[in-house]
Amino acid sequence: MEVLVYGAGALGSLVGGLLARAHDVTLVGRDPHMRRVRDDGLRIDGAVEAHVRPRALTDGSHRSADLALVTTKAYDIASAARALATGEYDVVCSLQNGLTEERLVAALEPPVLAGTTSHGARLIDPGHVRCTGVGEIAVGALTGGMDPLAARINRVFADAGVAATAAADMPRRRYEKLAVNAGINGPSALARVTNGETVGGPAGGVAREAAREVARIARAEGIDLADADAVDAVERVADETAANRSSMAEDVAAGRRTEVDAIYGAVTERADVRGTSVPTARTLAAVIRAWETGQGLRNE
Ligand code: KPL
Protein backbone atom coordinates (compact mmCIF):
# COMPACT_ATOMS: atom_id res chain seq x y z
CA MET A 1 0.00 0.00 0.00
CA GLU A 2 1.31 3.47 -0.88
CA VAL A 3 0.92 5.95 1.98
CA LEU A 4 1.77 9.65 1.96
CA VAL A 5 2.20 11.33 5.34
CA TYR A 6 1.77 15.07 4.89
CA GLY A 7 3.34 16.86 7.85
CA ALA A 8 6.19 14.69 9.11
CA GLY A 9 6.95 16.44 12.38
CA ALA A 10 7.05 14.33 15.53
CA LEU A 11 3.67 12.59 15.26
CA GLY A 12 3.68 12.26 11.47
CA SER A 13 7.18 10.78 11.53
CA LEU A 14 6.22 8.31 14.24
CA VAL A 15 3.04 7.15 12.50
CA GLY A 16 4.67 7.17 9.05
CA GLY A 17 7.74 5.38 10.39
CA LEU A 18 5.62 2.65 11.98
CA LEU A 19 3.65 2.22 8.74
CA ALA A 20 6.93 2.02 6.79
CA ARG A 21 7.55 -1.36 8.44
CA ALA A 22 4.92 -2.80 6.08
CA HIS A 23 4.09 -0.18 3.43
CA ASP A 24 5.62 2.07 0.80
CA VAL A 25 5.64 5.35 2.78
CA THR A 26 6.49 8.89 1.66
CA LEU A 27 6.99 11.48 4.39
CA VAL A 28 6.55 15.17 3.57
CA GLY A 29 8.20 17.46 6.08
CA ARG A 30 10.94 20.02 6.58
CA ASP A 31 14.71 20.01 6.33
CA PRO A 32 17.00 19.18 8.08
CA HIS A 33 14.74 16.31 9.29
CA MET A 34 13.78 15.14 5.78
CA ARG A 35 17.39 15.34 4.54
CA ARG A 36 18.55 13.16 7.41
CA VAL A 37 15.76 10.61 6.83
CA ARG A 38 16.80 10.49 3.16
CA ASP A 39 20.47 10.00 4.03
CA ASP A 40 20.32 7.70 7.08
CA GLY A 41 16.70 6.54 7.44
CA LEU A 42 14.34 7.29 10.32
CA ARG A 43 15.18 6.02 13.79
CA ILE A 44 12.31 5.45 16.23
CA ASP A 45 13.04 4.74 19.89
CA GLY A 46 11.25 4.89 23.21
CA ALA A 47 8.09 2.82 23.61
CA VAL A 48 8.64 1.37 20.09
CA GLU A 49 11.97 0.71 18.36
CA ALA A 50 12.44 0.73 14.59
CA HIS A 51 14.82 1.90 11.90
CA VAL A 52 13.07 2.42 8.58
CA ARG A 53 13.76 4.06 5.24
CA PRO A 54 10.66 5.88 4.00
CA ARG A 55 10.92 8.31 1.09
CA ALA A 56 11.39 11.84 2.50
CA LEU A 57 10.34 15.00 0.63
CA THR A 58 9.99 18.68 1.44
CA ASP A 59 7.39 19.33 -1.28
CA GLY A 60 4.20 17.30 -1.19
CA SER A 61 2.59 18.66 -4.36
CA HIS A 62 1.61 16.50 -7.35
CA ARG A 63 2.00 13.15 -5.55
CA SER A 64 -0.25 10.12 -5.62
CA ALA A 65 -0.93 7.38 -3.07
CA ASP A 66 -3.62 5.00 -1.89
CA LEU A 67 -3.85 6.85 1.40
CA ALA A 68 -2.80 10.37 2.46
CA LEU A 69 -2.53 10.97 6.20
CA VAL A 70 -2.53 14.62 7.26
CA THR A 71 -0.45 15.28 10.37
CA THR A 72 0.57 18.93 10.06
CA LYS A 73 -0.02 21.37 12.89
CA ALA A 74 -3.67 22.47 12.63
CA TYR A 75 -2.67 26.03 11.63
CA ASP A 76 -1.00 24.63 8.48
CA ILE A 77 -4.24 23.02 7.27
CA ALA A 78 -4.78 25.53 4.43
CA SER A 79 -1.35 24.92 2.86
CA ALA A 80 -1.72 21.16 3.40
CA ALA A 81 -5.09 21.21 1.61
CA ARG A 82 -3.65 23.26 -1.27
CA ALA A 83 -0.75 20.82 -1.77
CA LEU A 84 -2.93 17.71 -1.46
CA ALA A 85 -5.41 19.15 -3.98
CA THR A 86 -2.67 18.89 -6.65
CA GLY A 87 -2.26 15.14 -6.06
CA GLU A 88 -4.23 11.93 -6.49
CA TYR A 89 -5.32 9.92 -3.45
CA ASP A 90 -7.95 7.24 -2.95
CA VAL A 91 -8.67 8.53 0.53
CA VAL A 92 -7.40 11.28 2.84
CA CYS A 93 -7.46 11.00 6.64
CA SER A 94 -6.55 13.64 9.20
CA LEU A 95 -4.81 12.78 12.46
CA GLN A 96 -4.52 16.40 13.60
CA ASN A 97 -5.56 18.20 16.74
CA GLY A 98 -8.57 20.51 16.40
CA LEU A 99 -11.55 20.16 14.08
CA THR A 100 -9.72 20.46 10.76
CA GLU A 101 -11.40 17.85 8.56
CA GLU A 102 -14.08 20.22 7.24
CA ARG A 103 -11.31 22.31 5.67
CA LEU A 104 -9.99 19.23 3.84
CA VAL A 105 -13.48 18.26 2.68
CA ALA A 106 -13.97 21.76 1.24
CA ALA A 107 -10.66 21.67 -0.67
CA LEU A 108 -10.31 18.05 -1.84
CA GLU A 109 -12.09 15.69 -4.21
CA PRO A 110 -11.20 12.33 -2.60
CA PRO A 111 -13.18 11.17 0.43
CA VAL A 112 -11.89 12.59 3.72
CA LEU A 113 -12.09 10.58 6.93
CA ALA A 114 -11.64 11.89 10.44
CA GLY A 115 -8.97 10.45 12.70
CA THR A 116 -7.84 10.84 16.28
CA THR A 117 -4.71 9.64 18.03
CA SER A 118 -3.27 9.88 21.50
CA HIS A 119 0.21 8.57 20.58
CA GLY A 120 2.98 10.57 22.19
CA ALA A 121 5.88 11.60 19.92
CA ARG A 122 8.87 13.90 20.26
CA LEU A 123 11.37 14.85 17.57
CA ILE A 124 14.73 14.37 19.30
CA ASP A 125 17.08 15.26 16.42
CA PRO A 126 16.76 15.29 12.63
CA GLY A 127 16.07 11.70 11.59
CA HIS A 128 15.25 10.60 15.14
CA VAL A 129 11.80 10.49 16.71
CA ARG A 130 10.88 9.15 20.15
CA CYS A 131 7.62 7.36 20.89
CA THR A 132 6.77 8.70 24.35
CA GLY A 133 3.58 6.67 24.61
CA VAL A 134 1.68 4.15 22.55
CA GLY A 135 -1.81 5.57 22.25
CA GLU A 136 -4.91 4.76 20.29
CA ILE A 137 -5.73 5.58 16.66
CA ALA A 138 -9.35 5.76 15.53
CA VAL A 139 -10.56 6.55 12.01
CA GLY A 140 -14.06 6.90 10.67
CA ALA A 141 -16.61 8.90 8.74
CA LEU A 142 -16.83 12.56 9.68
CA THR A 143 -20.60 12.31 9.96
CA GLY A 144 -20.56 8.98 11.80
CA GLY A 145 -21.59 5.48 10.75
CA MET A 146 -19.41 2.64 9.51
CA ASP A 147 -17.45 3.57 6.38
CA PRO A 148 -15.77 0.76 4.36
CA LEU A 149 -12.83 3.12 3.79
CA ALA A 150 -12.27 3.28 7.55
CA ALA A 151 -12.05 -0.52 7.63
CA ARG A 152 -9.53 -0.35 4.78
CA ILE A 153 -7.36 2.20 6.62
CA ASN A 154 -7.65 0.10 9.73
CA ARG A 155 -6.13 -2.84 7.81
CA VAL A 156 -3.28 -0.60 6.63
CA PHE A 157 -2.43 0.11 10.29
CA ALA A 158 -2.98 -3.51 11.35
CA ASP A 159 -0.63 -4.81 8.62
CA ALA A 160 2.11 -2.62 10.10
CA GLY A 161 1.39 -3.78 13.65
CA VAL A 162 -0.25 -0.49 14.71
CA ALA A 163 -3.43 -0.85 16.78
CA ALA A 164 -6.29 1.15 15.29
CA THR A 165 -10.06 1.17 15.38
CA ALA A 166 -12.51 1.75 12.54
CA ALA A 167 -14.99 3.84 14.49
CA ALA A 168 -18.67 4.42 13.76
CA ASP A 169 -18.88 7.22 16.35
CA MET A 170 -16.30 9.67 14.99
CA PRO A 171 -18.38 12.82 15.67
CA ARG A 172 -18.36 11.96 19.36
CA ARG A 173 -14.69 10.94 19.33
CA ARG A 174 -13.65 14.20 17.67
CA TYR A 175 -15.30 16.19 20.46
CA GLU A 176 -13.87 13.87 23.08
CA LYS A 177 -10.39 14.51 21.63
CA LEU A 178 -11.13 18.26 21.56
CA ALA A 179 -12.11 18.01 25.25
CA VAL A 180 -8.80 16.25 26.00
CA ASN A 181 -6.82 18.89 24.12
CA ALA A 182 -8.77 21.75 25.72
CA GLY A 183 -8.36 20.21 29.17
CA ILE A 184 -4.67 19.34 28.97
CA ASN A 185 -2.90 21.49 26.38
CA GLY A 186 -3.56 25.06 27.56
CA PRO A 187 -3.16 24.48 31.31
CA SER A 188 -0.02 22.33 30.80
CA ALA A 189 1.53 24.95 28.50
CA LEU A 190 0.82 27.80 30.92
CA ALA A 191 1.91 25.90 34.02
CA ARG A 192 4.85 24.26 32.16
CA VAL A 193 4.13 20.88 33.67
CA THR A 194 3.57 17.35 32.37
CA ASN A 195 0.14 16.01 31.42
CA GLY A 196 -0.05 14.04 34.67
CA GLU A 197 0.91 17.07 36.80
CA THR A 198 -1.65 19.18 34.92
CA VAL A 199 -4.68 17.05 35.67
CA GLY A 200 -3.43 15.68 39.00
CA GLY A 201 -2.31 19.06 40.41
CA PRO A 202 -3.74 22.52 41.13
CA ALA A 203 -4.71 23.06 37.45
CA GLY A 204 -6.88 19.91 37.46
CA GLY A 205 -10.08 21.89 38.12
CA VAL A 206 -9.39 24.15 35.12
CA ALA A 207 -8.66 21.10 32.93
CA ARG A 208 -11.92 19.38 33.94
CA GLU A 209 -13.97 22.55 33.50
CA ALA A 210 -12.54 23.13 29.99
CA ALA A 211 -13.52 19.53 29.11
CA ARG A 212 -17.07 20.10 30.40
CA GLU A 213 -17.36 23.21 28.24
CA VAL A 214 -16.41 21.19 25.14
CA ALA A 215 -19.01 18.57 26.07
CA ARG A 216 -21.61 21.37 26.30
CA ILE A 217 -20.72 22.53 22.78
CA ALA A 218 -20.87 18.96 21.48
CA ARG A 219 -24.37 18.53 22.91
CA ALA A 220 -25.44 21.89 21.46
CA GLU A 221 -24.36 20.43 18.10
CA GLY A 222 -26.44 17.30 18.64
CA ILE A 223 -23.55 15.03 19.66
CA ASP A 224 -24.07 12.88 22.71
CA LEU A 225 -21.05 13.62 24.94
CA ALA A 226 -21.81 13.80 28.65
CA ASP A 227 -19.76 16.08 30.92
CA ALA A 228 -18.61 13.04 32.90
CA ASP A 229 -17.38 11.28 29.73
CA ALA A 230 -15.37 14.33 28.62
CA VAL A 231 -13.80 14.57 32.10
CA ASP A 232 -13.11 10.80 32.12
CA ALA A 233 -11.34 11.14 28.75
CA VAL A 234 -9.10 13.93 30.09
CA GLU A 235 -8.25 11.91 33.18
CA ARG A 236 -7.59 8.73 31.17
CA VAL A 237 -5.28 10.41 28.64
CA ALA A 238 -3.46 12.35 31.41
CA ASP A 239 -2.95 9.05 33.18
CA GLU A 240 -1.74 7.21 30.05
CA THR A 241 0.60 10.09 29.09
CA ALA A 242 1.42 11.25 32.64
CA ALA A 243 5.14 11.84 32.06
CA ASN A 244 4.69 13.54 28.65
CA ARG A 245 4.44 17.22 27.89
CA SER A 246 1.51 18.15 25.67
CA SER A 247 2.24 19.46 22.18
CA MET A 248 1.24 22.96 23.35
CA ALA A 249 3.60 22.76 26.33
CA GLU A 250 6.38 21.73 23.89
CA ASP A 251 5.47 24.58 21.54
CA VAL A 252 5.55 27.18 24.31
CA ALA A 253 8.83 25.79 25.69
CA ALA A 254 10.35 26.06 22.19
CA GLY A 255 8.96 29.60 21.63
CA ARG A 256 6.79 28.33 18.73
CA ARG A 257 3.29 29.20 17.60
CA THR A 258 0.67 26.98 19.26
CA GLU A 259 -2.59 25.34 18.16
CA VAL A 260 -4.60 27.76 20.33
CA ASP A 261 -6.92 28.73 17.46
CA ALA A 262 -7.62 25.14 16.36
CA ILE A 263 -8.36 24.03 19.93
CA TYR A 264 -9.74 26.94 21.98
CA GLY A 265 -10.74 28.99 18.91
CA ALA A 266 -12.83 26.02 17.68
CA VAL A 267 -14.60 25.94 21.07
CA THR A 268 -15.25 29.70 21.39
CA GLU A 269 -16.37 30.09 17.75
CA ARG A 270 -18.93 27.31 18.14
CA ALA A 271 -20.00 28.75 21.52
CA ASP A 272 -20.65 32.11 19.82
CA VAL A 273 -22.85 30.43 17.19
CA ARG A 274 -24.74 28.31 19.75
CA GLY A 275 -24.98 30.94 22.49
CA THR A 276 -23.19 28.60 24.92
CA SER A 277 -21.10 29.85 27.82
CA VAL A 278 -17.43 28.72 27.75
CA PRO A 279 -15.56 31.08 30.13
CA THR A 280 -12.67 28.69 30.82
CA ALA A 281 -11.90 28.13 27.13
CA ARG A 282 -12.12 31.90 26.53
CA THR A 283 -9.70 32.63 29.36
CA LEU A 284 -7.21 30.00 28.24
CA ALA A 285 -7.46 31.23 24.62
CA ALA A 286 -6.87 34.85 25.66
CA VAL A 287 -3.86 34.09 27.85
CA ILE A 288 -2.17 31.81 25.29
CA ARG A 289 -2.82 34.33 22.51
CA ALA A 290 -1.33 37.04 24.75
CA TRP A 291 1.79 34.89 25.12
CA GLU A 292 1.98 34.39 21.31
CA THR A 293 1.55 38.15 20.77
CA GLY A 294 4.28 38.91 23.30
CA GLN A 295 6.58 36.50 21.44
CA GLY A 296 5.87 38.24 18.12
CA LEU A 297 4.11 35.07 16.86
CA ARG A 298 0.79 36.80 16.12
CA ASN A 299 -0.35 40.37 15.39
CA GLU A 300 -3.19 41.13 17.83
O1 KPL B 1 -2.97 15.46 21.72
C1 KPL B 1 -2.26 15.70 22.68
C2 KPL B 1 -1.30 16.81 22.53
O2 KPL B 1 -0.35 16.89 23.31
O3 KPL B 1 -1.48 17.61 21.61
C3 KPL B 1 -2.41 14.92 23.96
C4 KPL B 1 -1.17 14.13 24.24
C5 KPL B 1 -3.56 13.97 23.83
C6 KPL B 1 -2.69 15.84 25.13
O4 KPL B 1 -3.78 16.67 24.93
Short mmCIF file of all heavy atoms in Angstrom, two decimals, residues 11 73 96-97 117-121 177-186 188 195 237-238 241 244-251 259 263, ligand 1:
data_model
loop_
_atom_site.label_atom_id
_atom_site.label_comp_id
_atom_site.label_asym_id
_atom_site.label_seq_id
_atom_site.Cartn_x
_atom_site.Cartn_y
_atom_site.Cartn_z
N LEU A 11 4.72 13.61 15.37
CA LEU A 11 3.67 12.59 15.26
C LEU A 11 3.63 11.96 13.87
O LEU A 11 3.54 10.73 13.74
CB LEU A 11 2.30 13.20 15.59
CG LEU A 11 1.17 12.18 15.48
CD1 LEU A 11 1.19 11.22 16.67
CD2 LEU A 11 -0.18 12.85 15.35
N LYS A 73 0.61 20.58 11.85
CA LYS A 73 -0.02 21.37 12.89
C LYS A 73 -1.33 21.89 12.30
O LYS A 73 -1.40 22.19 11.08
CB LYS A 73 0.88 22.54 13.28
CG LYS A 73 2.10 22.12 14.06
CD LYS A 73 1.72 21.78 15.48
CE LYS A 73 2.94 21.62 16.36
NZ LYS A 73 2.57 21.21 17.73
N GLN A 96 -4.96 15.16 12.96
CA GLN A 96 -4.52 16.40 13.60
C GLN A 96 -5.31 16.69 14.87
O GLN A 96 -6.39 16.16 15.08
CB GLN A 96 -4.73 17.56 12.62
CG GLN A 96 -3.90 17.44 11.37
CD GLN A 96 -4.39 18.41 10.31
OE1 GLN A 96 -5.48 18.27 9.79
NE2 GLN A 96 -3.57 19.39 10.01
N ASN A 97 -4.77 17.63 15.65
CA ASN A 97 -5.56 18.20 16.74
C ASN A 97 -6.55 19.19 16.14
O ASN A 97 -6.32 19.72 15.05
CB ASN A 97 -4.65 18.95 17.73
CG ASN A 97 -3.90 18.01 18.66
OD1 ASN A 97 -4.30 16.87 18.86
ND2 ASN A 97 -2.82 18.50 19.24
N THR A 117 -5.77 10.48 17.45
CA THR A 117 -4.71 9.64 18.03
C THR A 117 -4.25 10.24 19.34
O THR A 117 -4.28 11.46 19.51
CB THR A 117 -3.50 9.48 17.09
OG1 THR A 117 -2.47 8.78 17.79
CG2 THR A 117 -2.93 10.81 16.62
N SER A 118 -3.84 9.38 20.25
CA SER A 118 -3.27 9.88 21.50
C SER A 118 -1.83 9.36 21.66
O SER A 118 -1.29 9.33 22.76
CB SER A 118 -4.14 9.46 22.69
OG SER A 118 -4.35 8.07 22.67
N HIS A 119 -1.21 8.96 20.53
CA HIS A 119 0.21 8.57 20.58
C HIS A 119 1.04 9.76 21.02
O HIS A 119 0.77 10.90 20.63
CB HIS A 119 0.69 8.18 19.18
CG HIS A 119 0.45 6.74 18.84
ND1 HIS A 119 -0.79 6.25 18.55
CD2 HIS A 119 1.30 5.70 18.72
CE1 HIS A 119 -0.69 4.96 18.29
NE2 HIS A 119 0.56 4.60 18.39
N GLY A 120 2.05 9.50 21.79
CA GLY A 120 2.98 10.57 22.19
C GLY A 120 4.24 10.48 21.33
O GLY A 120 4.78 9.38 21.13
N ALA A 121 4.68 11.61 20.78
CA ALA A 121 5.88 11.60 19.92
C ALA A 121 6.68 12.86 20.17
O ALA A 121 6.12 13.93 20.39
CB ALA A 121 5.45 11.53 18.46
N LYS A 177 -11.80 14.12 21.80
CA LYS A 177 -10.39 14.51 21.63
C LYS A 177 -10.23 16.02 21.84
O LYS A 177 -9.25 16.46 22.46
CB LYS A 177 -9.92 14.10 20.22
CG LYS A 177 -8.50 14.54 19.86
CD LYS A 177 -7.41 13.72 20.55
CE LYS A 177 -6.04 14.37 20.57
NZ LYS A 177 -5.22 14.34 19.46
N LEU A 178 -11.19 16.80 21.36
CA LEU A 178 -11.13 18.26 21.56
C LEU A 178 -11.19 18.57 23.07
O LEU A 178 -10.49 19.46 23.56
CB LEU A 178 -12.27 18.95 20.81
CG LEU A 178 -12.22 20.48 20.77
CD1 LEU A 178 -10.97 20.97 20.04
CD2 LEU A 178 -13.47 21.05 20.09
N ALA A 179 -12.02 17.81 23.80
CA ALA A 179 -12.11 18.01 25.25
C ALA A 179 -10.77 17.69 25.92
O ALA A 179 -10.32 18.39 26.82
CB ALA A 179 -13.22 17.12 25.83
N VAL A 180 -10.11 16.63 25.43
CA VAL A 180 -8.80 16.25 26.00
C VAL A 180 -7.78 17.36 25.71
O VAL A 180 -7.05 17.80 26.60
CB VAL A 180 -8.34 14.90 25.41
CG1 VAL A 180 -6.89 14.62 25.76
CG2 VAL A 180 -9.24 13.77 25.91
N ASN A 181 -7.77 17.82 24.47
CA ASN A 181 -6.82 18.89 24.12
C ASN A 181 -7.12 20.17 24.90
O ASN A 181 -6.21 20.84 25.39
CB ASN A 181 -6.88 19.19 22.62
CG ASN A 181 -6.17 18.15 21.77
OD1 ASN A 181 -6.58 17.86 20.66
ND2 ASN A 181 -5.11 17.57 22.29
N ALA A 182 -8.41 20.51 25.01
CA ALA A 182 -8.77 21.75 25.72
C ALA A 182 -8.45 21.62 27.21
O ALA A 182 -8.01 22.58 27.84
CB ALA A 182 -10.26 22.05 25.52
N GLY A 183 -8.63 20.41 27.75
CA GLY A 183 -8.36 20.21 29.17
C GLY A 183 -6.88 20.20 29.49
O GLY A 183 -6.44 20.78 30.50
N ILE A 184 -6.09 19.56 28.63
CA ILE A 184 -4.67 19.34 28.97
C ILE A 184 -3.74 20.41 28.37
O ILE A 184 -2.85 20.93 29.04
CB ILE A 184 -4.20 17.94 28.50
CG1 ILE A 184 -4.98 16.85 29.27
CG2 ILE A 184 -2.70 17.78 28.70
CD1 ILE A 184 -4.63 15.42 28.86
N ASN A 185 -3.96 20.74 27.08
CA ASN A 185 -2.90 21.49 26.38
C ASN A 185 -2.66 22.89 26.93
O ASN A 185 -1.51 23.26 27.19
CB ASN A 185 -3.19 21.51 24.88
CG ASN A 185 -3.03 20.14 24.25
OD1 ASN A 185 -3.14 19.12 24.94
ND2 ASN A 185 -2.76 20.08 22.96
N GLY A 186 -3.74 23.69 27.08
CA GLY A 186 -3.56 25.06 27.56
C GLY A 186 -3.00 25.11 28.98
O GLY A 186 -1.95 25.72 29.22
N SER A 188 -1.39 22.88 30.69
CA SER A 188 -0.02 22.33 30.80
C SER A 188 1.01 23.29 30.22
O SER A 188 2.13 23.42 30.72
CB SER A 188 0.08 20.98 30.11
OG SER A 188 -0.16 21.13 28.72
N ASN A 195 1.58 16.27 31.49
CA ASN A 195 0.14 16.01 31.42
C ASN A 195 -0.40 15.49 32.76
O ASN A 195 -1.47 15.88 33.21
CB ASN A 195 -0.16 15.00 30.32
CG ASN A 195 0.20 15.52 28.94
OD1 ASN A 195 0.51 16.70 28.79
ND2 ASN A 195 0.18 14.65 27.94
N VAL A 237 -6.45 10.08 29.48
CA VAL A 237 -5.28 10.41 28.64
C VAL A 237 -4.16 10.98 29.51
O VAL A 237 -2.98 10.65 29.32
CB VAL A 237 -5.67 11.39 27.50
CG1 VAL A 237 -4.45 11.88 26.76
CG2 VAL A 237 -6.64 10.71 26.53
N ALA A 238 -4.50 11.79 30.52
CA ALA A 238 -3.46 12.35 31.41
C ALA A 238 -2.75 11.21 32.14
O ALA A 238 -1.53 11.26 32.35
CB ALA A 238 -4.09 13.31 32.40
N THR A 241 -0.53 9.31 29.62
CA THR A 241 0.60 10.09 29.09
C THR A 241 1.19 10.96 30.22
O THR A 241 1.72 12.03 29.96
CB THR A 241 0.13 10.99 27.93
OG1 THR A 241 -0.84 11.94 28.44
CG2 THR A 241 -0.49 10.22 26.78
N ASN A 244 4.47 12.76 29.89
CA ASN A 244 4.69 13.54 28.65
C ASN A 244 4.31 14.99 28.84
O ASN A 244 3.45 15.33 29.64
CB ASN A 244 3.81 13.02 27.51
CG ASN A 244 4.16 11.61 27.13
OD1 ASN A 244 5.12 11.05 27.63
ND2 ASN A 244 3.36 11.04 26.25
N ARG A 245 4.90 15.84 27.99
CA ARG A 245 4.44 17.22 27.89
C ARG A 245 3.52 17.30 26.68
O ARG A 245 3.81 16.71 25.64
CB ARG A 245 5.63 18.17 27.69
CG ARG A 245 6.38 18.34 28.95
CD ARG A 245 7.55 19.27 28.85
NE ARG A 245 8.36 19.03 30.02
CZ ARG A 245 8.12 19.58 31.22
NH1 ARG A 245 7.14 20.41 31.38
NH2 ARG A 245 8.90 19.28 32.23
N SER A 246 2.44 18.03 26.80
CA SER A 246 1.51 18.15 25.67
C SER A 246 2.20 18.89 24.53
O SER A 246 3.21 19.58 24.73
CB SER A 246 0.26 18.92 26.09
OG SER A 246 0.58 20.29 26.22
N SER A 247 1.63 18.78 23.34
CA SER A 247 2.24 19.46 22.18
C SER A 247 2.27 20.97 22.41
O SER A 247 3.21 21.65 22.00
CB SER A 247 1.47 19.11 20.91
OG SER A 247 0.10 19.40 21.07
N MET A 248 1.25 21.50 23.12
CA MET A 248 1.24 22.96 23.35
C MET A 248 2.31 23.35 24.37
O MET A 248 2.95 24.40 24.25
CB MET A 248 -0.15 23.40 23.82
CG MET A 248 -0.36 24.89 23.73
SD MET A 248 -2.06 25.37 24.08
CE MET A 248 -2.88 25.11 22.50
N ALA A 249 2.53 22.49 25.37
CA ALA A 249 3.60 22.76 26.33
C ALA A 249 4.95 22.74 25.62
O ALA A 249 5.83 23.58 25.89
CB ALA A 249 3.56 21.73 27.45
N GLU A 250 5.12 21.80 24.67
CA GLU A 250 6.38 21.73 23.89
C GLU A 250 6.53 22.98 23.03
O GLU A 250 7.61 23.55 22.91
CB GLU A 250 6.38 20.50 22.96
CG GLU A 250 6.41 19.15 23.66
CD GLU A 250 7.81 18.75 24.11
OE1 GLU A 250 8.75 19.54 23.98
OE2 GLU A 250 7.93 17.62 24.62
N ASP A 251 5.41 23.40 22.41
CA ASP A 251 5.47 24.58 21.54
C ASP A 251 5.87 25.82 22.33
O ASP A 251 6.74 26.59 21.92
CB ASP A 251 4.11 24.81 20.86
CG ASP A 251 3.80 23.76 19.80
OD1 ASP A 251 4.76 23.12 19.30
OD2 ASP A 251 2.62 23.58 19.46
N GLU A 259 -1.32 25.66 18.82
CA GLU A 259 -2.59 25.34 18.16
C GLU A 259 -3.77 25.96 18.92
O GLU A 259 -4.87 25.41 18.93
CB GLU A 259 -2.74 23.83 18.05
CG GLU A 259 -1.72 23.23 17.08
CD GLU A 259 -1.90 21.74 16.87
OE1 GLU A 259 -1.95 21.00 17.87
OE2 GLU A 259 -1.97 21.29 15.70
N ILE A 263 -7.77 24.69 18.75
CA ILE A 263 -8.36 24.03 19.93
C ILE A 263 -9.35 24.99 20.61
O ILE A 263 -10.57 24.80 20.54
CB ILE A 263 -7.25 23.55 20.88
CG1 ILE A 263 -6.40 22.47 20.18
CG2 ILE A 263 -7.84 23.00 22.19
CD1 ILE A 263 -5.15 22.04 20.92
O1 KPL B 1 -2.97 15.46 21.72
C1 KPL B 1 -2.26 15.70 22.68
C2 KPL B 1 -1.30 16.81 22.53
O2 KPL B 1 -0.35 16.89 23.31
O3 KPL B 1 -1.48 17.61 21.61
C3 KPL B 1 -2.41 14.92 23.96
C4 KPL B 1 -1.17 14.13 24.24
C5 KPL B 1 -3.56 13.97 23.83
C6 KPL B 1 -2.69 15.84 25.13
O4 KPL B 1 -3.78 16.67 24.93
#
